[in-house]
Amino acid sequence: MKIGLYFGSFNPIHNGHLIIANYILNNANLGQVWFVVSPQNPLKKSNSLLSEHHRKHLIDLCLEGEVKLKSSSVEFKLPRPSYTIDTLIYLREKYPKHVFSIIMGGDSFSNIKKWKNYQVLINNYEIFVYERFGYEKKEKPIYNIHFLHAPLLEISSTYIRKLVAEKKSIRFLLPDIAREEIESQQYYQ
């Protein structure tokens, strides 16, 4: 099966993430999309991260009943910080019958040369890049890199955390079930 790996902190997951995953699933000839929760992104500060188990739980709540969208805790078991290439090598060994692709935003793609073994990623994996505000496609097309025009929403996890800290409404920015869990557990306060 072809599986798209959507790596991220998902701190918290929101409607923008879900729309992008669903769009790519519908337009990229993939059997499934896995939300790979990164415990620690080597290019981001981790001081505002909710526990990876809580972030995965929020994703699981949002994906309940979905067959083609799943969460993955694979990076919880791997050394930190999490490097995409290490995760892909581990997954290829664990699931040799699956073919894995990478899903990333234009902002991440613009920084790919900072990634560990980025040439191996570019040369050996299909990459689906969705546009992000402020990050225009500047690269020449490469056979295994696909730029997709997924619907864009100016929603960010940072903005949601800011609203929660300010005791403002986050309704309509993420699924109600995730909002209710964040509010009942007092996450990000």
Side-chain angles (χ1 to χ4, degrees), residues 130-164:
Y130 59 90
E131 294 180 348
R132 294 287 300 259
F133 291 107
Y135 294 91
E136 299 298 322
K137 178 177 74 170
K138 296 175 188 166
E139 305 292 322
K140 293 180 181 174
I142 301 173
Y143 74 97
N144 62 333
I145 299 176
H146 312 281
F147 294 91
L148 301 175
H149 302 287
L152 296 177
L153 297 175
E154 279 198 73
I155 300 175
S156 73
S157 297
T158 303
Y159 179 63
I160 292 170
R161 292 192 308 271
K162 179 179 180 288
L163 291 176
V164 171

Side-chain angles (χ1 to χ4, degrees), residues 1-8 10 21 25 30-37 59 63 67-74 91 95 98 100-101 103:
M1 178 184 307
K2 286 182 70 173
I3 297 172
L5 301 174
Y6 189 3
F7 292 89
F10 306 111
L25 184 63
L30 297 171
Q32 292 183 341
V33 169
W34 293 0
F35 288 83
V36 181
V37 181
I59 294 169
L63 299 181
V67 176
K68 294 185 175 188
L69 298 173
K70 301 189 174 294
S71 70
S72 172
S73 60
V74 64
L91 286 171
Y95 303 103
H98 293 322
F100 294 100
S101 303
I103 298 167

